[in-house]
Amino acid sequence: MHGKLSMNSGVLLLVAGIAAGAIGAQSPDDSSPRPQAAVEIEIKQFKFNADTVRVVAGDSVRWTNRDVVPHTSTADEGEWESPLIEPGKSFTQTFNQAGTFAYHCTPHPFMRGVVIVEAERHR
């Protein structure tokens, strides 16, 4: 008897899981907006932990200073410039336009990185 209940319970769980997946799935022509994402970059030992990151237009990048001195995130072409990011603090930049953005740390110009922003993808 317990075996039959377990099997029925398993079938119910399987059906419930399939239904939940179908409800959560989006069709290719679903025009609902994609949730914004945030990419994390740590600053540690006078380096950005990712030389290049890729995001989609509308996403944000957050730089968190895990170093012992202040740093910045400063776009080479002037698109953004953080204030000094003190140790333990963060700075977030949202990217609304597609493009490739090189950046550096103003006090330590040898620290460099790139953010590649892709046009919005439809899911």
Side-chain angles (χ1 to χ4, degrees), residues 33-113:
R34 184 185 66 80
Q36 286 186 335
V39 172
E40 302 281 337
I41 295 177
E42 284 193 342
I43 305 169
K44 194 171 184 179
Q45 298 177 342
F46 290 84
K47 294 178 185 175
F48 298 109
N49 75 331
D51 292 341
T52 301
V53 296
R54 290 182 180 273
V55 298
V56 174
D59 289 351
S60 298
V61 176
R62 179 171 47 209
W63 289 265
T64 300
N65 187 355
R66 304 282 184 220
D67 224 334
V68 296
V69 299
H71 294 289
T72 69
S73 169
T74 305
D76 291 357
E77 300 296 321
E79 294 88 355
W80 79 90
E81 181 175 0
S82 76
L84 282 174
I85 307 167
E86 297 294 330
K89 302 293 182 185
S90 297
F91 168 76
T92 301
Q93 176 67 35
T94 300
F95 293 88
N96 293 315
Q97 299 294 321
T100 299
F101 304 95
Y103 68 93
H104 62 277
C105 172
T106 299
H108 313 103
F110 58 88
M111 295 174 58
R112 307 199 56 74

